[in-house]
Amino acid sequence: MLKVEEIHTYYDHIHALKGVSLEIREGEIVCLIGSNGAGKSTTLMTISGVLHPARGRVLFDGQDIAHRPADRIVGLGICQVPEGRRILPRLSVADNLEMGAFLRRDREGIRQDLEKVYELFPVLAERRRQQGGTLSGGEQQMLAIGRALMGRPRLLLLDEPSLGLAPIVVEKIFGIIQQINRDGTTILLVEQNANLALGVSDRAYVLETGRVTLSGPSRELAHDERVRKAYLGEQ
Amino acid sequence: METFLQQMVNGLTLGAVYALIALGYTMVYGIIQLINFAHGEIFAAGGYIGVITLSFLQSRGVLEAHPTLGLVLAFALAMVYCAFLAVALERMAYRPLRDASRLSLLLSALGMSIFFSNGMMLCQGVYDKAYPIQLYSTGQFTVGGAVVSYIQVYIFVGALILMIGLNLFVNRTRLGKAMRATAQDKVMSALLGINANRTITITFVIGSVLAAAAGVMVGLYYGSVRFDMGFIPGIKAFAAAVLGGIGNLTGAVLGGMIIGMVEVFAAGYLASEYKDVFAFIILILVLYFRPTGIMGEQVDDTRV
Ligand SMILES: Nc1ncnc2c1ncn2[C@@H]1O[C@H](COP(=O)(O)OP(=O)(O)OP(=O)(O)O)[C@@H](O)[C@H]1O
Ligand SMILES: [Mg+2]
């Protein structure tokens, strides 16, 4: 479904991605782990078209989308829940969700999806008139996921959904991520919490300073000595 | 008491006009953090299109028979013309500088302001152009001793309708919400499929349509327009936008009303020769003591 080939992405002179390649097949949950500054968010932003690689290709259904603007990539069915959630602070919860469906025109479908999102996260329904910026961290994460779902993604990119959340909320969110996947959405999950990410994903890539250093089935990586040392906190 | 009421009426009228212009400043600032210095000239261009339309209709003898139609046409043409002007302005002078420094953008705006004002002088001459207002300036009534002309009522009601329309657009429609989203977080908006360029164009168009209406209103109110008429009201409306909290729509309306009132009352009770000074005094005081303005909490968390 998505194939990233040898991408090099820069921030001015900072060479953030130094030839990253990865592949995601339909129906999978793939995770991307790595420590701070490894280039995980940069990879997602390059896939979403907010950043463009200087070299390399991003193939989605075989088409190279590396140089398309971000607002055109959403229309292909790639939605992102960005790092820090980026809730539109002065739009209501309902309007944030409506903006998630900005490109869609199927009113009936949008209405159904809205109902589904409210069912998935009842707290959002309770707070639908409240401004997005006034929600708690966990609620904002739910809103960010709900908003992405409103775009009916075929591929959902999630950037550190566990960040800053209480363990019980994290558990709930990860349960929902798995449910979204079972309902047919392919997922690329970025996480620093490697334990968690390897637990829910089919395959994993390890990113270190802009390069993929390891990859394979998550179950195998979870037992890999290098991964255990570097990311699972074992000595 | 009678003069007080009279000043109120005049202040409300003037304030409504400033509010309309201030909205354009504040909307553009909210979305691309640019003080669009050429906005005052767009307002002036609106005034010119109004007078050109009305004079043409009058010369054909149509205006006498259909004064209301003439007015509607004057407003409509001014708004359409200024909408195109704004699109051209944004495309040519601002869009190419999207990634440049804010100073470059500001200089470009200043340059466009001078360019437009000189352009109007070259095309329309340096002298005042009189509005054919005899048809409209006759009716009036008195409330509690204050004389209210029909023109004042038209201006106030017209401005109110435009503001309500804007409010509905911004808060209720998909595009209006997308506009606010873009102002709040451009990267996130792009990730939602919102095309920033298109939203920015819409913002310019709306601001300019309001300014065009204000231009025709001022022409009708004072009876004439001039090529440099955009300068002083432009700065006053900018002061109004800053006073209300730049980037904030409600603030712009509030600021416009306050500046209009202060100007009229100061001219009435203090010294009418100095009426233009007060907006500047307010601007300086606000910038010094409360740069975010009355309601300006919205600007600081806008992500660029
Ligand atoms: N806007 C930016 N300007 C300049 N450099 C940046 C910018 N954003 C990221 N970088 C640099 O690019 C590299 C990769 O950053 P990125 O945000 O992709 O890391 P990450 O893996 O997502 O880290 P984290 O886990 O902390 O979110 C880092 O060295 C970072 O300093
Ligand atoms: Mg990151």
Side-chain angles (χ1 to χ4, degrees), chain B residues 53-92:
Chain B
T53 310
L54 290 175
S55 306
F56 173 79
L57 293 177
Q58 192 181 35
S59 72
R60 293 297 154 100
V62 196
L63 199 58
E64 280 71 15
H66 307 283
T68 313
L69 182 71
L71 214 53
V72 170
L73 213 58
F75 274 103
L77 287 179
M79 288 167 153
V80 170
Y81 180 85
C82 289
F84 280 109
L85 196 61
V87 172
L89 169 71
E90 196 273 322
R91 282 276 154 86
M92 293 190 297

Side-chain angles (χ1 to χ4, degrees), chain B:
Chain B
M1 189 60 209
E2 278 172 30
T3 34
F4 179 83
L5 258 184
Q6 187 67 59
Q7 311 284 21
M8 281 292 280
V9 171
N10 298 346
L12 279 176
T13 315
L14 199 59
V17 172
Y18 290 157
L20 281 185
I21 311 174
L23 281 167
Y25 278 110
T26 227
M27 288 168 74
V28 166
Y29 188 89
I31 208 153
I32 54 171
Q33 284 72 51
L34 162 74
I35 295 158
N36 178 16
F37 281 113
H39 191 58
E41 277 60 48
I42 294 205
F43 152 80
Y48 267 109
I49 298 298
V51 72
I52 291 169
T53 310
L54 290 175
S55 306
F56 173 79
L57 293 177
Q58 192 181 35
S59 72
R60 293 297 154 100
V62 196
L63 199 58
E64 280 71 15
H66 307 283
T68 313
L69 182 71
L71 214 53
V72 170
L73 213 58
F75 274 103
L77 287 179
M79 288 167 153
V80 170
Y81 180 85
C82 289
F84 280 109
L85 196 61
V87 172
L89 169 71
E90 196 273 322
R91 282 276 154 86
M92 293 190 297
Y94 303 149
R95 190 173 297 185
L97 295 173
R98 197 57 52 78
D99 298 321
S101 75
R102 279 168 75 171
L103 187 61
S104 319
L105 203 60
L106 211 61
L107 287 176
S108 185
L110 261 177
M112 289 312 288
S113 162
I114 297 170
F115 174 75
F116 279 155
S117 133
N118 280 277
M120 280 185 281
M121 183 183 75
L122 287 174
C123 301
Q124 297 295 324
V126 290
Y127 301 111
D128 289 24
K129 257 202 157 57
Y131 257 71
I133 52 167
Q134 311 79 317
L135 281 169
Y136 307 108
S137 58
T138 48
Q140 63 185 45
F141 57 93
T142 45
V143 220
V147 180
V148 185
S149 72
Y150 284 172
I151 289 225
Q152 286 180 314
V153 176
Y154 295 149
I155 289 177
F156 192 77
V157 172
L160 203 64
I161 292 173
L162 288 172
M163 287 177 210
I164 292 172
L166 176 68
N167 187 288
L168 291 178
F169 172 77
V170 162
N171 291 310
R172 299 286 170 82
T173 68
R174 172 176 161 274
L175 276 182
K177 288 171 191 174
M179 202 170 101
R180 285 159 63 214
T182 306
Q184 288 173 33
D185 187 338
K186 283 194 183 50
V187 169
M188 189 62 231
S189 299
L191 285 174
L192 295 171
I194 299 169
N195 180 325
N197 279 332
R198 202 172 64 132
T199 324
I200 290 167
T201 301
I202 295 172
T203 309
F204 268 87
V205 163
I206 294 175
S208 303
V209 161
L210 299 180
V216 182
M217 289 172 179
V218 162
L220 289 167
Y221 195 40
Y222 292 116
S224 67
V225 290
R226 209 170 75 169
F227 76 93
D228 59 356
M229 71 182 265
F231 184 60
I232 297 284
I235 294 183
K236 287 180 185 166
F238 169 60
V242 173
L243 171 62
I246 195 144
N248 186 309
L249 299 190
T250 320
V253 173
L254 207 64
M257 285 299 177
I258 294 175
I259 298 267
M261 288 287 182
V262 167
E263 179 176 332
V264 168
F265 276 95
Y269 290 109
L270 299 171
S272 64
E273 311 83 56
Y274 289 115
K275 71 178 171 64
D276 290 343
V277 171
F278 299 99
F280 297 97
I281 294 177
I282 292 177
L283 180 60
I284 290 164
L285 290 179
V286 172
L287 287 177
Y288 192 78
F289 290 107
R290 194 176 156 81
T292 51
I294 302 173
M295 320 189 60
E297 78 285 353
Q298 299 208 345
V299 181
D300 42 35
D301 68 326
T302 301
R303 292 194 231 182
V304 186

Side-chain angles (χ1 to χ4, degrees), chain A residues 34-44 82-84 159-160 163 190 192:
Chain A
S35 40
N36 291 114
K40 306 181 297 293
S41 298
T42 306
T43 304
L44 291 196
E83 188 170 16
D159 199 343
E160 303 205 29
L163 197 71
V190 161
Q192 277 199 48

Side-chain angles (χ1 to χ4, degrees), chain A residues 45 48 50 70-71 74 78 80 82 84-91 95 98-100 102-105 147, chain B residues 171 173-175 177-178 180-181 183-185 187-196 198 298 301-303:
Chain A
M45 285 302 184
S48 276
V50 170
D71 56 88
V74 191
I78 303 181
Q80 188 183 155
R85 304 158 193 132
R86 304 189 91 136
I87 295 305
L88 298 163
R90 291 180 304 284
L91 251 48
D95 287 346
E98 184 189 335
M99 287 298 102
F102 181 77
L103 289 179
R104 291 173 58 188
R105 286 300 161 88
R147 181 177 61 185
Chain B
N171 291 310
T173 68
R174 172 176 161 274
L175 276 182
K177 288 171 191 174
R180 285 159 63 214
Q184 288 173 33
D185 187 338
V187 169
M188 189 62 231
S189 299
L191 285 174
L192 295 171
I194 299 169
N195 180 325
R198 202 172 64 132
Q298 299 208 345
D301 68 326
T302 301
R303 292 194 231 182

